[in-house]
């Protein structure tokens, strides 16, 4: 009888110890879980919240894709210029890019009369960095992009009673305002060659205009319409203008052609 009671007491004591151990383990697990959850929540609070940075950052993150981790994506997002309107809106600008013989490390106001009077950048260049025209690969720079001061000429208000000054076309354009032009179809310029056409075959009028903009002595050009290539004459001046020639087109090196 005493042996039976002793065995039962030892069994109850063992059960109590097991219950106590399980309870302590449960409390320890809950404490660890709470601490881990708190640390994860704190860590999550340090991760940039892309959903609160607006569409610009979302576009940048999508563009960067899986190339960078979150922190580096966030840093890169602050240095990438994104277009906010224009032919290629919400695209990253490419710097530097070349346009009409000039290299731009930021946005430009050049030819902004064709870009809604806003600074713009190229979103696609060729293998040597020239802006690719005729495909709509440009966009207007968003705030925060490297935008230079607007250096376009601002008309000076005239004083009352002073006669109106004669209006003129911008440099590289000809005609009379408001009918200024910078290229003339079915027209050739003769003489004043900086480079003769037989030494400068080009596949298009735009390629001829680009050849002129890249030449230090060229101001105007004449292209002989040809397939697959035609002679591109680079001119010092616009002189001996001869209209009525269906196989030629001429223009200025500063001329943004419709396909640009």
């Amino acid at each position: 009888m005493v042996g039976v009671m002793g065995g039962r007491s030892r069994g109850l004591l063992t059960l109590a110890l097991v219950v106590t151990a399980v309870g302590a383990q449960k409390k320890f697990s809950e404490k660890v879980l709470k601490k881990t959850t708190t640390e994860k929540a704190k860590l999550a609070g340090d991760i940039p919240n892309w959903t609160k940075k607006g569409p610009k950052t979302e576009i940048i993150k999508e563009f960067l894709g899986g190339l960078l981790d979150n922190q580096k994506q966030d840093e890169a997002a602050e240095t990438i210029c994104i277009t906010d309107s224009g032919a290629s809106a919400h695209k990253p600008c490419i710097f530097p890019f070349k346009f009409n013989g000039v290299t731009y490390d930021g946005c430009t106001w050049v030819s902004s009369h064709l870009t809604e009077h806003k600074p713009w950048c190229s979103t696609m260049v060729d293998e040597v960095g020239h802006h690719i025209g005729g495909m709509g690969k440009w966009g207007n720079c968003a705030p925060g992009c490297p935008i230079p001061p607007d250096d376009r000429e601002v008309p000076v208000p005239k004083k009352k009673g002073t006669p109106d000054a004669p209006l003129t076309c911008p440099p590289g354009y000809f005609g009379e305002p408001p009918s200024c032009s910078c290229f003339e179809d079915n027209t050739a310029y003769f003489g004043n060659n900086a480079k003769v056409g037989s030494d400068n075959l080009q596949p298009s009028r735009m390629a001829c205009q680009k050849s002129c903009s890249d030449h230090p002595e060229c101001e105007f050009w004449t292209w002989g319409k040809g397939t697959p290539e035609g002679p591109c004459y680079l001119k010092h001046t616009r002189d001996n203008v001869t209209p009525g020639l269906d196989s030629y087109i001429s223009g200025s090196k500063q001329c943004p052609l419709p396909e640009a």
Side-chain angles (χ1 to χ4, degrees):
M1 185 69 173
V2 173
V4 173
M5 291 297 295
R8 182 178 297 178
S9 298
R10 284 193 299 272
L12 290 174
L13 179 58
T14 300
L15 179 61
L17 290 174
V18 170
V19 171
T20 302
V22 170
Q25 180 65 34
K26 181 179 180 182
K27 289 182 179 180
F28 176 78
S29 299
E30 290 175 349
K31 184 176 180 180
V32 170
L33 177 61
K34 182 177 180 181
K35 180 179 180 181
T36 303
T37 304
T38 303
E39 289 178 350
K40 285 184 177 180
K42 182 179 180 181
L43 180 60
D46 294 335
I47 297 175
N49 186 350
W50 293 94
T51 62
K52 294 183 179 181
K53 286 185 173 284
K56 175 181 175 182
T57 307
E58 284 291 345
I59 294 162
I60 297 172
K61 185 186 177 187
E62 180 181 354
F63 174 74
L64 294 174
L67 299 178
L68 304 172
D69 58 33
N70 280 352
Q71 182 178 359
K72 290 183 179 179
Q73 284 182 18
D74 198 25
E75 293 172 355
E78 299 302 323
T79 60
I80 295 179
C81 171
I82 296 295
T83 61
D84 62 359
S85 60
S88 293
H90 311 303
K91 299 291 183 181
C93 291
I94 296 178
F95 299 127
F97 68 92
K98 297 177 183 178
F99 178 70
N100 284 351
V102 179
T103 300
Y104 296 94
D105 294 317
C107 307
T108 179
W109 292 92
V110 172
S111 300
S112 58
H113 61 289
L114 300 174
T115 61
E116 306 169 10
H117 297 280
K118 297 177 181 178
W120 64 278
C121 68
S122 175
T123 59
M124 180 179 289
V125 299
D126 61 17
E127 63 275 5
V128 293
H130 288 283
H131 166 63
I132 295 179
M135 299 177 62
K137 300 301 181 180
W138 64 270
N140 296 319
C141 297
C145 288
I147 300 174
D150 186 354
D151 57 358
R152 295 175 296 172
E153 293 185 3
V154 178
V156 179
K158 66 173 186 175
K159 296 180 181 179
K160 292 183 178 180
T162 57
D164 292 335
L167 297 176
T168 58
C169 294
Y173 287 70
F174 34 84
E176 294 182 0
S179 300
C180 295
S181 180
C182 61
F183 72 93
E184 301 167 285
D185 199 6
N186 304 325
T187 300
Y189 306 154
F190 287 98
N192 302 301
N193 289 318
K195 192 170 187 178
V196 296
S198 58
D199 295 335
N200 188 29
L201 299 178
Q202 298 293 340
S204 66
R205 64 181 185 178
M206 185 172 177
C208 185
Q209 185 268 343
K210 179 177 175 297
S211 175
C212 179
S213 67
D214 290 340
H215 194 285
E217 299 179 11
C218 180
E219 294 295 332
F220 295 90
W221 51 269
T222 290
W223 181 61
K225 302 173 184 176
T227 303
E229 293 180 323
C232 175
Y233 299 85
L234 306 185
K235 308 287 182 177
H236 295 292
T237 60
R238 177 179 175 263
D239 201 2
N240 301 315
V241 179
T242 306
L245 302 177
D246 295 345
S247 58
Y248 289 94
I249 181 172
S250 303
S252 162
K253 78 171 184 179
Q254 302 183 34
C255 185
L257 293 168
E259 62 265 31

